[in-house]
Amino acid sequence: MRCSVKILFLLVITLISSDIFSQTASWNASLESSMLTGNGNSLPFWFTQNQMGKFSTRSNIQQLTEGKLSGSVPLNRKLTFNYGTDIALLLTEKDSRLKFIQAFAGLSGRIFTLRVGAFADDEIPGNLSTSNGNILRSLNYRPYPMIRVSTSGYI
């Protein structure tokens, strides 16, 4: 938990400093809440799956509150600093859990992109990203920590 607080602190400092040092910085924030209920001891499979591990399979009443923050700060004409986080609070009749679903930071330039942290792949139009490819990198599973160096587009 101590590491999670440090990451959150760094993201807040980044957000504050982006407004101080650059007028062209951009950021997005959202807060969502949803509730799932069912009868019996658990919810149906299709309610709790494909949700990046946010919901529990062992409870029939669940309240999920999720906050997302992402943004980018241009460092110069060729380099941009990107960051993001997705935090979910799940309340059930048995317990409550706070999870960092995604937390990442990275640099992107004209040719290469570096991204570090736990992040999901971008969603492909038509919802193909949830059913094709590696299941560990789909929306069926919570993202795992990684370091990715990739091209910024087609070469």
Side-chain angles (χ1 to χ4, degrees), residues 13-151:
I13 293 300
T14 302
L15 177 65
I16 292 169
S17 65
S18 68
D19 289 335
I20 294 171
F21 295 113
S22 175
Q23 295 298 321
T24 59
S26 64
W27 59 277
N28 297 312
S30 67
L31 184 64
E32 302 172 8
S33 185
S34 59
M35 184 172 191
L36 298 177
T37 61
N39 53 6
N41 293 331
S42 62
L43 291 169
F45 175 79
W46 55 89
F47 279 18
T48 59
Q49 302 309 307
N50 297 336
Q51 303 290 332
M52 293 182 147
K54 296 173 192 171
F55 290 99
S56 172
T57 57
R58 297 183 187 94
S59 176
N60 66 344
I61 300 173
Q62 300 181 34
Q63 170 73 35
L64 179 74
T65 304
E66 183 176 10
K68 297 179 181 180
L69 174 68
S70 64
S72 62
V73 180
L75 301 175
N76 57 38
R77 289 188 338 206
K78 298 179 183 178
L79 197 60
T80 303
F81 175 72
N82 302 303
Y83 60 91
T85 187
D86 181 354
I87 303 170
L89 174 63
L90 179 67
L91 303 173
T92 67
E93 71 271 8
K94 299 174 186 171
D95 64 349
S96 62
R97 292 183 299 173
L98 180 68
K99 287 185 179 180
F100 277 85
I101 305 299
Q102 297 186 79
F104 64 88
L107 295 171
S108 61
R110 291 183 188 176
I111 299 173
F112 293 103
T113 299
L114 170 68
R115 192 181 260 188
V116 178
F119 54 90
D121 289 339
D122 295 331
E123 197 166 332
I124 299 172
N127 233 5
L128 294 174
S129 55
T130 60
S131 59
N132 294 340
N134 186 344
I135 190 141
L136 293 178
R137 293 178 55 195
S138 71
L139 298 180
N140 295 320
Y141 193 75
R142 196 163 104 191
Y144 53 89
M146 62 183 125
I147 298 172
R148 179 182 292 167
V149 177
S150 62
T151 59

